[in-house]
């Protein structure tokens, strides 16, 4: 449930295990809504920004630098 501690996103009803920074504990968080910041799907299962709600796409500048520094955030947009 939202607010519960998690180690990976699969443990959360929202499928988003979120931490605010590298030192904080990760907790389940709701998915990002339209015009909110988002992350593309993560390999690690913990997000600094949650992926978008269903039907929205995370418009991200996919650069090598961004994915290495974990700062490749985007904005949720309706693709239609």
């Amino acid at each position: 449930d939202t607010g519960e501690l998690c180690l990976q996103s699969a443990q959360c009803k929202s499928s988003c295990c979120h931490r605010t920074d590298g030192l904080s504990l990760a907790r389940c968080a709701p998915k990002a809504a339209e015009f909110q910041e988002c992350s593309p799907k993560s390999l690690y299962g913990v997000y600094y920004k949650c992926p978008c709600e269903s039907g929205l796409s995370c418009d991200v500048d996919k650069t090598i630098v961004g994915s290495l520094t974990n700062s490749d955030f985007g904005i949720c947009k309706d693709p239609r």
Side-chain angles (χ1 to χ4, degrees), residues 38-41 57-63 71-75:
C38 55
S39 292
K41 291 268 188 281
S57 64
C58 189
D59 197 13
V60 178
D61 176 19
K62 285 194 167 45
T63 60
S71 63
D72 55 345
F73 304 134
I75 302 292

Side-chain angles (χ1 to χ4, degrees), residues 37-55:
E37 279 190 305
C38 55
S39 292
K41 291 268 188 281
S42 165
L43 298 173
Y44 309 108
V46 175
Y47 294 95
Y48 289 103
K49 306 279 182 204
C50 286
C52 300
E53 291 173 346
S54 179

Side-chain angles (χ1 to χ4, degrees), residues 3-16:
E4 288 188 29
L5 291 173
C6 53
L7 293 173
Q8 57 190 19
S9 291
Q11 295 174 291
C12 303
K13 285 181 183 170
S14 65
S15 299
C16 179

Side-chain angles (χ1 to χ4, degrees), residues 10-11 13 18 25 33-34 36 44 53 55 59 67 70 74 77:
Q11 295 174 291
K13 285 181 183 170
H18 171 267
L25 293 168
E34 195 169 10
Q36 287 187 323
Y44 309 108
E53 291 173 346
D59 197 13
S67 51
N70 210 352
K77 293 184 180 160

